[in-house]
Amino acid sequence: MVSLYDGGVYLVNGTEIVPEKEAGRVEVLTGKAADKEAARKGTIAYSILEAHNTSGNMEQLKLRFDSMASHDITFVGIVQTAKASGMDHFPLPYVLTNCHNTLCAVGGTINEDDHMFGLSAAKKYGGIYVPPHIAVIHQYMREMMAGCGKMILGSDSHTRYGALGTMAVGEGGGELVKQLLEDTYDVACPQVIAIYLDGAPKPGTGPQDIALAIIGAVFKNGYVKNKVMEFVGPGVASMTTDFRNGVDVMTTETTCLSSIWRTDEDTREYLKLHGREADYKKLDPADVAYYDGCVYVDLSTVKPMIALPFHPSNTYEIDELKANLTDILRQVEKEGEKVSGGRASFTLLDKVKDGELMVQQAVIAGCAGGTYSNIMEAAAALKGKNCGCDEFSLSVYPSSQPVFSDLVKKGAVSDLMDAGAIIRTAFCGPCFGAGDTPCNNGLSIRHTTRNFPNREGSKPGNGQMAAVALMDARSIAATAANGGRLTSAWEMDCWGNVPAYEFDGTSYKNRVYMGWGKGSPEKELVYGPNIKDWPSMSPLTDNILLRVCSKIMDPVTTTDELIPSGETSSYRSNPLGLAEFTLSRRDPAYVGRTKEVDKLEKARTGEGWEAEISLDPALGEVFDRIRGIAGSEGIEPAATEIGSLVYAVKPGDGSAREQAASCQRVIGGLANICREYATKRYRSNVINWGMIPFQMEAEPDFEVGDYIYVPGIKAALDGDMKAIAAYVVPAEAGAAAREISLHIADMTSEEREIVKAGCLINYNRKRAGKE
């Protein structure tokens, strides 16, 4: 059972939940009247945020992190951006892992070129470099960097180490650049939601089941959006730290800002096992702590779960799905029709044989699935079993070499291999479509992090459709033991006998480059031919003209739709090459439209603006109509920045990848308009790349091809930004301009200046006196 409290709660002595409307009970329990403001300071989250805040104001935080982490489709751009901004060393431990472009399977040398760039950066600036196949980013950070009371920033959305007492935040690369330049992460003090765990999971219920139950309860209503999830209650002690890690990493799918857990002796033992007992500290809420909401989870009632395509919140108990197969699968097929847009076919009902759902593929991998206890449980279920020699297949990816090594020593790997499973090295590819792409019209069940549309690697534009359902490793193993027949772990009786993990860090000692604090500025960065610098971007002008180049009315637009994941990963070090894929899954004509706008802006800032207008009489006519707007009679085209605009109802759910914004920017993007931003991290990326994060309450009464003129935008950025007058200038010649109202949610003074400068790089260079 997962239930949500309506309103805030007090947590007394770590065990008693008192709804705010019953605050009088606090005095009965403690002998003191409830003091809401004092109790706010009693959360674990507050104490950690306070210790890392440099502003002196706990309402508006300026945070400095203890360490950072990036992987090989983000660190090149981050280092390039920081270098262009004046960085000469890494001022905090920075771990560069190589777990996304690990296979070096496409594009010739470019993947390994990125890896060599990362190694050279670690040598030059003093970083930590984890070579390919050694560990996925989050497992390495759990094992070697996380600790109680710390804060870690990562350029991956699943940067979550709350189960180790670390508040971790996944953000776009711009925020890591700020830390490298010894600036701060600026955010209003977040609300904190108690995740009260009671009882204990039953045998066969795994961390993914707990996570999916919570995600299904809180995602759609935004209950924890941009807030901190604080795991408390007696149920925490019922799970090992390895199990807790599997729940914690999935909190990203709720759209929360971060997570934190109470710690105990099991946390100490985990850190001690990894040679870091000194990083242990007992973390508990104060005797009276106030939370802005509460999610109550009775762990004993959570059954094996499944998240059907096309989102982790599309959750069902496996038993519920099996009892209602036809109705539920038909609904997913309808969603598949929307995803494919008629370009490909995806069916599920034809996979029902004799009343059972047959799946084509299974994967246990990454930071969520590839942990020691998950794989050990799967191996126990498959010992002496047979996955079959039909279309069903199972791949297992241990999350690090130390985990892999211990699985080998304990015989789990041979048990899995004998059953027909394929064992691979530490790699994040199945999570984002760079490994184990299913067959066309295939259904894959995965203990990974996400199942967004086509994230598994299929391409509807090429007539291909496949999909992923998320499940726990235990139910995946049960399904594999039945040759692909969807099976709940509760249908087997083999759970709970996991031998103690024995960590051996020899592979890290022998392969990880430990350069923190040992930078050599004289060393050169190693560039491959695909690694390109960021193109120049214009500073903001007083008045701007936006052309609507895409309008997306879906309820939510993911970062995978803004810039695809798997097939683009080899281009992440090439801004203009990557930008060719922008919105390719959702609006393939967008790139051509925005590049036409970008040509005009480049002409304006270089030579030939008037010539460009003369070649496009329609644009000159647009300016004529703008001059008819009161106060804009004297507008000069040469002094008006022109850029493209994307409208989406709720953009940015999913990955922290900054390229979802930067790809728009480098080919002409100047603004987004939306009803709301799905995540803080996407909005931060929009800002850091110099685009304006507009919002509007009204339905958009403009279409692709129309223009939106915004006078006095720089002055608006200096104001309260609550009501910004803008004007739709229809594409139809002669149609009158009409006023609309836009607004921008609160921005820090630095964020306002970044947008005015045109991007974070321009802002930093200006501060350093280089522009």
Side-chain angles (χ1 to χ4, degrees):
M1 178 183 68
V2 179
S3 57
L4 311 182
Y5 278 73
D6 183 13
V9 304
Y10 292 91
L11 182 64
V12 181
N13 298 323
T15 58
E16 188 81 17
I17 302 171
V18 179
E20 184 176 359
K21 59 188 176 183
E22 301 173 19
R25 286 177 51 204
V26 173
E27 186 170 7
V28 174
L29 292 167
T30 67
K32 296 181 181 179
D35 183 338
K36 182 175 177 178
E37 291 311 308
R40 279 188 183 279
K41 300 177 182 180
T43 65
I44 303 170
Y46 187 95
S47 65
I48 296 176
L49 291 170
E50 184 177 42
H52 290 79
N53 181 35
T54 66
S55 72
N57 175 6
M58 283 300 291
E59 295 301 315
Q60 297 296 326
L61 307 177
K62 288 181 173 293
L63 301 172
R64 285 211 168 96
F65 290 81
D66 296 295
S67 62
M68 301 198 308
S70 294
H71 50 65
D72 49 343
I73 56 176
T74 58
F75 64 58
V76 174
I78 291 167
V79 171
Q80 287 280 74
T81 302
K83 173 176 173 283
S85 301
M87 177 197 68
D88 58 11
H89 73 288
F90 292 162
L92 74 170
Y94 187 18
V95 179
L96 309 180
T97 68
N98 294 270
C99 52
H100 280 58
N101 276 337
T102 310
L103 299 181
C104 304
V106 294
T109 70
I110 60 179
N111 293 163
E112 188 65 6
D113 290 345
D114 286 352
H115 300 160
M116 291 301 99
F117 177 93
L119 178 58
S120 70
K123 292 178 178 179
K124 181 179 181 66
Y125 298 119
I128 300 167
Y129 175 83
V130 183
H133 306 283
I134 298 298
V136 301
I137 178 172
H138 303 309
Q139 185 66 12
Y140 183 86
M141 296 303 287
R142 291 167 184 159
E143 292 174 346
M144 305 305 294
M145 301 298 292
C148 302
K150 292 185 178 182
M151 291 195 74
I152 294 177
L153 182 66
S155 56
D156 183 272
S157 53
H158 291 98
T159 306
R160 292 285 187 270
Y161 317 120
L164 292 163
T166 299
M167 283 187 66
V169 178
E171 272 283 2
E175 294 302 323
L176 279 78
V177 169
K178 291 176 184 177
Q179 296 288 310
L180 291 175
L181 298 174
E182 300 186 70
D183 288 335
T184 56
Y185 180 73
D186 301 343
V187 63
C189 191
Q191 292 187 341
V192 184
I193 304 295
I195 313 299
Y196 188 93
L197 304 182
D198 206 0
K202 290 186 176 179
T205 296
Q208 189 81 323
D209 299 316
I210 306 296
L212 293 178
I214 295 172
I215 294 164
V218 304
F219 173 78
K220 293 176 183 177
N221 55 26
Y223 193 80
V224 299
K225 180 181 175 181
N226 294 332
K227 301 172 186 177
V228 177
M229 298 173 71
E230 184 159 310
F231 287 78
V232 293
V236 171
S238 72
M239 299 178 287
T240 66
T241 300
D242 199 54
F243 191 111
R244 298 173 204 174
N245 284 334
V247 178
D248 183 62
V249 72
M250 292 298 293
T251 61
T252 293
E253 304 312 320
T254 67
T255 70
C256 73
L257 178 71
S258 187
S259 63
I260 191 69
W261 293 56
R262 62 178 298 265
T263 61
D264 56 19
E265 285 304 306
D266 197 81
T267 322
R268 183 200 296 272
E269 286 303 311
Y270 184 96
L271 292 168
K272 181 180 179 181
L273 179 65
H274 292 85
R276 299 191 296 111
E277 187 177 6
D279 285 332
Y280 175 75
K281 180 169 62 176
K282 187 168 178 57
L283 300 177
D284 265 321
D287 291 344
V288 179
Y290 177 83
Y291 295 90
D292 298 283
C294 180
V295 179
Y296 176 87
V297 184
D298 183 347
L299 297 170
S300 67
T301 66
V302 177
K303 296 181 178 181
M305 302 288 292
I306 184 169
L308 291 171
F310 295 92
H311 198 276
S313 64
N314 190 18
T315 55
Y316 298 88
E317 294 175 349
I318 293 177
D319 290 344
E320 176 190 7
L321 170 63
K322 295 179 77 169
N324 300 277
L325 265 181
T326 300
D327 291 343
I328 294 174
L329 296 184
R330 184 178 290 116
Q331 185 59 43
V332 177
E333 285 186 342
K334 291 179 180 178
E335 289 299 311
E337 291 173 4
K338 295 178 184 178
V339 169
S340 70
R343 298 171 294 171
S345 173
F346 178 70
T347 56
L348 284 173
L349 290 172
D350 59 340
K351 297 173 177 59
V352 178
K353 308 295 184 185
D354 299 323
E356 301 281 359
L357 178 61
M358 303 299 296
V359 299
Q360 287 66 59
Q361 184 197 65
V363 177
I364 300 170
C367 55
T371 60
Y372 171 80
S373 57
N374 286 334
I375 297 177
M376 282 299 299
E377 292 263 46
L382 284 167
K383 185 178 178 65
K385 303 293 196 307
N386 182 357
C387 294
C389 53
D390 207 334
E391 61 187 26
F392 176 82
S393 65
L394 170 65
S395 297
V396 179
Y397 295 72
S399 55
S400 71
Q401 284 287 76
V403 169
F404 199 160
S405 176
D406 201 41
L407 291 168
V408 170
K409 293 171 184 175
K410 289 185 167 64
V413 168
S414 59
D415 289 340
L416 288 164
M417 293 176 70
D418 288 347
I422 303 300
I423 311 300
R424 308 189 191 275
T425 54
F427 178 39
C428 297
C431 293
F432 66 97
D436 281 309
T437 300
C439 64
N440 180 53
N441 203 39
L443 176 64
S444 179
I445 53 173
R446 301 188 174 189
H447 192 158
T448 56
T449 55
R450 288 197 172 126
N451 62 339
F452 293 167
N454 309 117
R455 185 178 170 94
E456 79 300 314
S458 63
K459 299 179 181 180
N462 294 346
Q464 310 165 2
M465 260 299 272
V468 166
L470 300 180
M471 288 169 54
D472 188 81
R474 293 149 190 81
S475 291
I476 290 174
T479 300
N482 282 313
R485 174 177 66 83
L486 186 71
T487 304
S488 163
W490 281 14
E491 294 183 40
M492 298 184 72
D493 183 19
C494 58
W495 313 112
N497 296 314
V498 177
Y501 175 52
E502 298 172 77
F503 174 78
D504 181 349
T506 302
S507 56
Y508 287 163
K509 293 175 184 176
N510 290 340
R511 286 295 295 138
V512 174
Y513 177 80
M514 301 296 295
W516 161 236
K518 304 173 185 176
S520 300
E522 73 281 0
K523 291 187 180 295
E524 297 294 330
L525 294 173
V526 177
Y527 288 86
N530 184 62
I531 298 175
K532 306 294 184 183
D533 291 331
W534 292 103
S536 61
M537 283 158 266
S538 304
L540 193 65
T541 55
D542 289 324
N543 308 312
I544 59 173
L545 182 63
L546 305 169
R547 188 166 194 182
V548 182
C549 286
S550 187
K551 180 181 177 183
I552 304 172
M553 298 304 293
D554 297 345
V556 178
T557 302
T558 69
T559 48
D560 282 63
E561 293 171 295
L562 292 166
I563 184 68
S565 49
E567 72 265 35
T568 69
S569 62
S570 295
Y571 297 93
R572 298 290 178 86
S573 304
N574 184 339
L576 291 175
L578 180 65
E580 295 291 330
F581 294 89
T582 312
L583 282 170
S584 58
R585 290 180 181 168
R586 187 61 188 78
D587 187 357
Y590 165 80
V591 169
R593 298 186 196 115
T594 188
K595 288 172 77 171
E596 288 300 313
V597 176
D598 193 43
K599 283 172 55 180
L600 295 172
E601 175 58 17
K602 283 182 167 53
R604 182 188 74 83
T605 57
E607 298 291 335
W609 172 247
E610 296 299 337
E612 286 286 348
I613 287 185
S614 68
L615 292 173
D616 184 2
L619 185 59
E621 195 269 342
V622 166
F623 274 103
D624 288 341
R625 280 185 280 163
I626 290 172
R627 293 187 182 100
I629 298 170
S632 297
E633 296 84 356
I635 185 173
E636 292 294 333
T640 303
E641 184 176 4
I642 182 170
S644 67
L645 163 74
V646 170
Y647 177 89
V649 175
K650 189 177 179 180
D653 182 29
S655 173
R657 73 178 71 108
E658 63 181 298
Q659 294 88 355
S662 67
C663 281
Q664 297 173 51
R665 182 64 170 141
V666 299
I667 51 173
L670 185 52
N672 282 185
I673 299 179
C674 68
R675 189 173 300 154
E676 65 172 308
Y677 290 92
T679 58
K680 177 198 175 297
R681 54 184 175 266
Y682 176 69
R683 184 175 183 269
S684 294
N685 290 335
V686 169
I687 292 168
N688 284 329
W689 284 105
M691 295 194 293
I692 307 166
F694 287 123
Q695 293 175 239
M696 64 184 296
E697 297 294 337
E699 291 296 308
D701 64 341
F702 46 78
E703 301 299 333
V704 171
D706 290 347
Y707 288 90
I708 296 179
Y709 169 62
V710 187
I713 182 58
K714 289 170 73 174
L717 285 168
D718 289 331
D720 64 16
M721 305 183 293
K722 292 181 179 178
I724 301 171
Y727 300 86
V728 176
V729 185
E732 179 186 354
R738 57 184 181 272
E739 185 173 350
I740 60 173
S741 180
L742 305 176
H743 67 275
I744 301 173
D746 191 37
M747 296 168 65
T748 66
S749 58
E750 290 85 356
E751 287 175 330
R752 299 174 196 232
E753 294 305 315
I754 289 167
V755 171
K756 290 180 192 176
C759 66
L760 180 63
I761 295 174
N762 292 357
Y763 170 75
N764 287 325
R765 289 181 63 83
K766 184 177 180 180
R767 284 197 308 169
K770 295 183 180 181
E771 287 189 0

